[in-house]
Amino acid sequence: MLYRLSWCGDEFLKFVVDLVRERATVAQLRSLLATCDVFVGTRMHACIFAISVDVPTLLIPYEPKGTGLMASLGRLEDVCSPDPLQAESLVDGVD
């Protein structure tokens, strides 16, 4: 499931959910992710997909391996702490 947020200044304009119901190929998933302005994920492999199509990616880790991935890529600044998750920290990460 992809969540798309439209952002304008200090307010969200709309919230759209794109649900992909059919099984998609790897190429289709990469193509879909490539349309995102930014990707926020909790799953390491989903973040790998987003990074592989050059989409700015923020990780909310629930396991150390996700943080390790971002560290190995020199992108620790793109890791947002899940405890407590603050909307401001996500917005700061996107800016």
Side-chain angles (χ1 to χ4, degrees):
M1 192 178 324
L2 289 177
Y3 298 90
R4 289 191 184 164
L5 298 176
S6 294
W7 182 261
C8 181
D10 293 331
E11 300 194 22
F12 289 104
L13 296 178
K14 64 181 180 177
F15 186 38
V16 178
V17 177
D18 292 328
L19 178 60
V20 180
R21 294 186 183 272
E22 56 279 340
R23 292 189 81 89
T25 66
V26 171
Q28 289 170 324
L29 286 174
R30 290 188 72 209
S31 180
L32 184 62
L33 282 172
T35 68
C36 296
D37 294 322
V38 66
F39 180 83
V40 179
T42 59
R43 305 288 186 165
M44 182 182 75
H45 291 95
C47 290
I48 290 171
F49 265 84
I51 291 167
S52 76
V53 293
D54 296 322
V55 172
T57 301
L58 297 175
L59 171 70
I60 304 169
Y62 69 96
E63 289 187 4
K65 65 183 181 180
T67 303
L69 165 73
M70 297 304 267
S72 70
L73 297 173
R75 297 178 61 167
L76 276 176
E77 70 277 1
D78 295 333
V79 176
C80 299
S81 173
D83 186 35
L85 182 59
Q86 299 288 327
E88 295 83 22
S89 68
L90 289 176
V91 172
D92 289 344
V94 171
D95 290 337

